[in-house]
Amino acid sequence: RKEVEQDPGPFNVPEGATVAFNCTYSNSASQSFFWYRQDCRKEPKLLMSVYSSGNEDGRFTAQLNRASQYISLLIRDSKLSDSATYLCVMATGGFKTIFGAGTRLFVKA
Amino acid sequence: DVKVTQSSRYLVKRTGEKVFLECVQDMDHENMFWYRQDPGLGLRLIYFSYDVKMKEKGDIPEGYSVSREKKERFSLILESASTNQTSMYLCAGATGETSTDTQYFGPGTRLTVL
């Protein structure tokens, strides 16, 4: 079983839609969680960190559920520019970082 | 603006060749990482370095070695390239003492081994 699992998608949504991605993890010792965004043929870039209390950045909301061992990303009012691959990332402390395989999102006009 | 550069965007090599992938960061970051990214598998850590001349194996170090002689430069070496090492290679830098800090990635090197 992979340490971090994501639905690969693709998710095809119209502009203005709300879309949610989940990511499950198997290591209960995981300490920190992040969402990275990767545009086609580009490098990954940090989108946001994920905190137990949940956090919001504009149209993006991230949640962590330690009991069920998953994190989520909600995108409201989708824009064409949101089309990308979203990577779920987990850090267990030290220098070990685990990346999910990514969920592809296509936002269409 | 932080910057991580990689020596080549595209590279084609023959089986058995020794391959050097170079990564330079201008952020004065202590920590640097090498990953490979393959479809359906995500990014997998090959090696990381937390200081000059210091290195630690990641999840898939077999067939690779690294060198960090200067703080800003972290090199990945394929001693004898094989076709299963065809992949996208991404270098990253990060500050701080743990992997909980943001990683800044270079643009990647797409390596094809024939």
Side-chain angles (χ1 to χ4, degrees), chain B residues 80-94:
Chain B
S80 178
S82 62
T83 55
N84 63 12
Q85 292 178 310
T86 291
S87 186
M88 170 66 83
Y89 289 87
L90 289 159
C91 174

Side-chain angles (χ1 to χ4, degrees), chain A residues 4-59:
Chain A
V4 175
E5 300 221 40
Q6 295 183 249
D7 182 340
F11 284 64
N12 293 290
V13 302
E15 272 187 295
T18 295
V19 62
F21 310 134
N22 281 341
C23 169
T24 59
Y25 62 94
S26 58
N27 187 343
S28 59
S30 301
Q31 296 182 358
S32 304
F33 303 88
F34 310 87
W35 284 102
Y36 277 70
R37 171 194 169 127
Q38 186 172 24
D39 293 314
C40 187
R41 301 185 186 279
K42 297 284 189 179
E43 70 272 22
K45 292 183 180 179
L46 179 68
L47 178 66
M48 59 198 305
S49 302
V50 187
Y51 305 119
S52 297
S53 55
N55 50 303
E56 189 173 308
D57 183 3
R59 299 181 292 108

Side-chain angles (χ1 to χ4, degrees), chain B residues 23 25 30-33 48-49 68 71-72 74 91-93:
Chain B
C23 175
Q25 52 100 355
E30 301 292 336
N31 308 316
M32 297 186 75
F33 307 81
F48 63 89
S49 169
R68 193 163 180 205
K71 188 176 185 180
E72 67 271 18
F74 191 33
C91 174

Side-chain angles (χ1 to χ4, degrees), chain A residues 2-3 31-32 34 36 38 41-46 49 87 91-102, chain B residues 9-10 31 33 35 37 40-43 45 48 50 59 90 96-103 105-108 110:
Chain A
K2 291 180 181 178
E3 291 190 76
Q31 296 182 358
S32 304
F34 310 87
Y36 277 70
Q38 186 172 24
R41 301 185 186 279
K42 297 284 189 179
E43 70 272 22
K45 292 183 180 179
L46 179 68
S49 302
L87 306 174
T92 56
F95 295 100
K96 190 168 177 63
T97 306
I98 308 294
F99 283 76
Chain B
R9 291 301 302 272
Y10 300 94
N31 308 316
F33 307 81
Y35 296 89
Q37 185 174 28
L41 296 177
L43 279 77
L45 182 64
F48 63 89
Y50 51 91
D59 296 317
L90 289 159
E97 297 182 352
T98 73
S99 58
T100 58
D101 295 290
T102 303
Q103 294 188 30
F105 286 86
R110 185 165 293 281

